[in-house]
Amino acid sequence: MAQPKLLSFDFCVLNFKFYYMPELPEVETVARELNRKLKKRKIKSVEVKAPKMISLGPDVVSNIRKVKSSQVQKFERLLRNQIFESVKRRAKLLIFNFSRPRVFSPNFGKRKKERASLSLLVHLKMTGQFIFEDTKLRSQTHGRYCLINKASAPKELLPCRHTHVIFNFMDGSILYFNDVRKFGYLKLVRDNEISQVRELREFGPEPLSKQYTIGRFLTAVKKCPKRTIKSMLVDPKVVAGIGNIYSDEILFHAGLRPTRKVLKISNQELGRIYINIKKVLTKAVKAKGSSVGDFVRTDGSWGQMGKYHFVYGRSGQKCKRCASIISSVKLNGRTGSFCPKCQK
DNA sequence: TATATTGTTACACC
DNA sequence: TGGTGTAACAATAT
């Protein structure tokens, strides 16, 4: 009887059902939540259980690269005593900033030893998730809950077999990083190295920024006249943060099929796509924020998030607008869904 | 066994 | 040569 009530308040879950891949709105939600929850918390210790998921320095990320145990130790050591300052998002990448640790030279603190502050870059890829566990909940329950999978078997003790990195805070609260597929990564860099991080350099513009104008959109798109519009929207170098789900939804609302070639799209149609990039993502950022909250309160009820989707994941079902059957195509190795009547 | 997924890379083709 | 597409890869639950 007491348990659902407990879960409804102190337990902050920041994750998504495994087939709702985190894209810009989901990562934005995670960033905002974590920013609020982690601000000024000091790390007591870090445990890395899956060395392949972490890396040090701005090097190119590779899932295959073996990380030596010394690097794991260094990763854990560098993060110890760090204080979370902020969590931000760039494309689908989470950027954690830590405050500069006060390190003094041996001569009685007269001279500060120069040391760059640290940033942690985290990509959730498909199934990465952060779960923050407050002190209050932990003192009130024996077990901890990990809603990592589906409604039929939602509860697992934390840490579970998919927990790969654990952040223990001074006040007893804990942040878990889980990833079923292990495609995600945590990359620790010094702030003076951050400009060398390749993925950050190569990201296209943020679609929700004021700087992302119709002009920028048109210029970028028209550079590749022979590509399909869908492949342009999901290309992080063209525009940041859009994946399979939102590209499908944007194209539905713009009324264009994903297979259309850029060359054969009119300026008016491109304008509709641009408008809907802003519209769909803005709506999703708002919706994700609230639906995640609902999800936590209902404990195991995963619904809510898909209710705004018109085409994604609805192949074979009726179009919500015209009742035609939603079709799908394979494009660049990904499934694209569209309504054959609403989208031309 | 086939499928789903992201982002990167290797390679074929025009 | 470079623009473009295709396939493979990482991992694992369904």
Side-chain angles (χ1 to χ4, degrees), chain A residues 43-51 54-56 67-82 118 120 164-168 188:
Chain A
I43 294 174
K44 186 182 174 191
S45 65
V46 175
E47 301 166 55
V48 176
K49 293 174 176 293
I54 65 116
S55 63
L56 291 166
V67 180
K68 290 173 189 167
S69 63
S70 64
Q71 280 184 291
V72 169
Q73 284 164 17
K74 193 176 176 190
F75 183 91
E76 293 173 342
R77 181 168 50 78
L78 282 170
L79 283 172
R80 207 173 300 146
N81 295 321
Q82 293 281 336
L118 294 170
L120 184 66
H164 307 305
V165 182
I166 303 171
F167 299 81
N168 297 297
L188 190 61

Side-chain angles (χ1 to χ4, degrees), chain A residues 17-23 26 92 126 230 234 242-253 258 280 288 305-320 326-329 333-339 343:
Chain A
K17 196 172 178 180
F18 68 93
Y19 46 74
Y20 288 107
M21 303 311 139
E23 296 182 23
E26 290 79 13
K92 299 178 192 171
M126 294 168 63
K230 167 101 171 167
V234 299
I242 301 176
N244 219 16
I245 300 170
Y246 292 102
S247 60
D248 273 6
E249 295 302 312
I250 288 162
L251 287 172
F252 173 83
H253 290 286
V280 170
K288 293 311 183 260
M305 296 183 58
K307 73 182 177 187
Y308 301 111
H309 295 160
F310 280 79
V311 284
Y312 178 80
R314 300 191 68 247
S315 180
Q317 298 177 39
K318 282 183 182 174
C319 173
K320 291 179 181 179
I326 302 295
S327 310
S328 66
V329 281
R334 305 286 182 259
T335 305
S337 301
F338 64 96
C339 170
Q343 292 171 259

Side-chain angles (χ1 to χ4, degrees), chain A residues 3-54:
Chain A
Q3 211 174 56
K5 205 174 177 184
L6 270 177
L7 284 169
S8 66
F9 292 104
D10 301 311
F11 190 52
C12 173
V13 179
L14 297 160
N15 65 351
F16 300 90
K17 196 172 178 180
F18 68 93
Y19 46 74
Y20 288 107
M21 303 311 139
E23 296 182 23
L24 185 149
E26 290 79 13
V27 180
E28 179 68 26
T29 304
V30 172
R32 288 180 187 180
E33 285 288 329
L34 287 181
N35 189 52
R36 190 163 53 82
K37 292 277 176 184
L38 299 182
K39 193 159 268 192
K40 300 294 174 193
R41 275 188 211 268
K42 191 173 181 183
I43 294 174
K44 186 182 174 191
S45 65
V46 175
E47 301 166 55
V48 176
K49 293 174 176 293
K52 65 156 278 187
M53 306 199 66
I54 65 116

